[in-house]
Amino acid sequence: MTDSQTAPAADHDRLTRFLIEGAGVRGVRVHLHDTWRQIRERAEYPAAAAELLGEAAAAAALFTGHAKVDGRLSVQLRGDGALRTLFAECTSAGTLRGIAQLAEDGGTVSRDLRELGPEAMLAITIENPGLHGREPVRYQGLVALESDSLAGAFEGYFRQSEQLPTRLLLAADERQAAGLMLQKLPGDQGDDDGWARVGALFDTLRAGELLELPTETLLTRLFHEDGVQLLGGKPLGFACSCSRERVEAMLVSLGREEADAAAADGEARVRCEFCGQSYRFDQGQIAGLFAAAAAEVEAPQRLQ
């Protein structure tokens, strides 16, 4: 593969939607470059954990390409082995963040999802803002861990739960992460064997090509006979949704005793694991948080 074939800078950190009109298939391609670098550099991960995190980040972005997401979509994997948590989130604005957490006693992280332990769970969650100031609306789907890969598990989820034939390829290395998703359009669009034909071409795609080739080149090579139409897309980038207000709410949720204990040496320090931002609260500020929370609870009683 020559340098001229590698994904150009304009193709980096972007989601692209497309239509394979002759086959009645829609698709999304995601390529993460600087975004993936910023996610990965927050912590040192074993190679297998880093690859899974990159794939999860690409998947979270891919799914926003077709799902109705006005807030955020997350992919979360929980296990009871060496890999305890894998979390990746993409917002409707195209911002991503992600993190992996490993067992304190170490161990080898397996890329085979079936080896994550009997209590392992994989979920896709969409959280959209509530109307007129109401609580956010959450939708969650649990993904069966019957495949050895994230891509295979998600394919099974869309096929069984969403009744949508789906093909998915995810890949990540030290420099970049990428994903390609195909779904058959509802109804009878396309010719009778369009889905099977596109699937056979999809099977020829390798992870290296998915990571390196520009989107237009990739899609044209695979599906030019059926006519590929680019439908637009959006830029992607790293950003964290942490804020002082959210940390304050977290401290209040811990309860006064635990919050005071966190500030026993004069100051409570909270560091966001996603972006590294630090938040500090002295004992007087913590007391003020709980005084304000108590006033909010008591206010309706005084108005009655």
Side-chain angles (χ1 to χ4, degrees):
M1 189 175 296
T2 66
D3 289 341
S4 62
Q5 292 175 312
T6 60
D11 205 48
H12 291 171
D13 301 298
R14 187 163 183 83
L15 177 152
T16 303
R17 296 183 297 111
F18 60 90
L19 177 68
I20 309 174
E21 194 169 7
V25 174
R26 65 183 182 180
V28 184
R29 197 274 176 110
V30 161
H31 187 273
L32 304 177
H33 192 266
D34 289 343
T35 306
W36 170 227
R37 176 184 58 79
Q38 291 182 70
I39 291 174
R40 184 174 181 181
E41 71 183 7
R42 306 293 160 178
E44 289 291 332
Y45 298 119
E51 289 172 7
L52 284 170
L53 180 58
E55 292 179 9
L62 278 177
F63 300 156
T64 67
H66 288 319
K68 181 173 175 53
V69 179
D70 298 320
R72 63 190 73 247
L73 183 149
S74 64
V75 169
Q76 184 169 15
L77 176 66
R78 292 181 179 176
D80 52 9
L83 179 63
R84 293 300 171 90
T85 302
L86 189 72
F87 178 89
E89 176 187 86
C90 184
T91 69
S92 58
T95 61
L96 287 102
R97 63 178 187 166
I99 193 171
Q101 294 178 333
L102 309 178
E104 293 183 0
D105 56 357
T108 302
V109 176
S110 172
R111 286 187 47 84
D112 190 332
L113 301 189
R114 297 168 299 185
E115 297 182 8
L116 293 177
E119 302 300 322
M121 180 195 75
L122 177 60
I124 301 173
T125 304
I126 297 175
E127 182 179 297
N128 289 328
L131 298 176
H132 311 298
R134 296 178 180 174
E135 289 293 316
V137 180
R138 297 177 78 251
Y139 309 89
Q140 185 173 77
L142 297 180
V143 182
L145 294 175
E146 298 172 350
S147 172
D148 63 344
S149 68
L150 281 174
F154 289 132
E155 281 186 359
Y157 170 78
F158 285 107
R159 183 173 58 250
Q160 297 173 18
S161 301
E162 305 293 326
Q163 303 298 308
L164 281 174
T166 300
R167 298 301 310 274
L168 197 66
L169 181 62
L170 302 169
D173 62 16
E174 294 181 355
R175 299 182 299 112
Q176 52 201 342
L180 181 68
M181 181 170 72
L182 304 178
Q183 287 186 327
K184 183 169 173 41
L185 285 168
D188 297 323
Q189 301 182 54
D191 57 54
D192 292 340
D193 65 346
W195 178 249
R197 184 171 64 254
V198 165
L201 293 169
F202 181 89
D203 286 336
T204 67
L205 181 63
R206 297 294 175 259
E209 295 172 312
L210 177 63
L211 289 169
E212 299 293 346
L213 288 178
T215 297
E216 192 166 357
T217 301
L218 177 71
L219 298 178
T220 300
R221 283 189 183 183
L222 287 172
F223 310 121
H224 65 93
E225 291 185 1
D226 281 294
V228 178
Q229 179 183 355
L230 298 182
L231 302 178
K234 62 182 178 183
L236 302 170
F238 173 81
C240 189
S241 59
C242 73
S243 67
R244 189 171 182 85
E245 291 74 18
R246 295 184 71 171
V247 176
E248 288 173 354
M250 181 273 292
L251 287 171
V252 171
S253 71
L254 291 176
R256 183 62 185 269
E257 184 177 347
E258 190 166 346
D260 283 341
D265 61 352
E267 187 178 62
R269 293 175 292 275
V270 179
R271 181 180 181 275
C272 176
E273 294 180 314
F274 290 97
C275 68
Q277 176 69 41
S278 293
Y279 300 91
R280 298 170 180 266
F281 301 84
D282 61 31
Q283 291 175 329
Q285 289 171 322
I286 289 176
L289 293 178
F290 283 92
E296 289 180 7
V297 172
E298 293 171 4
Q301 297 177 359
R302 293 197 299 267
L303 293 173
Q304 289 179 353

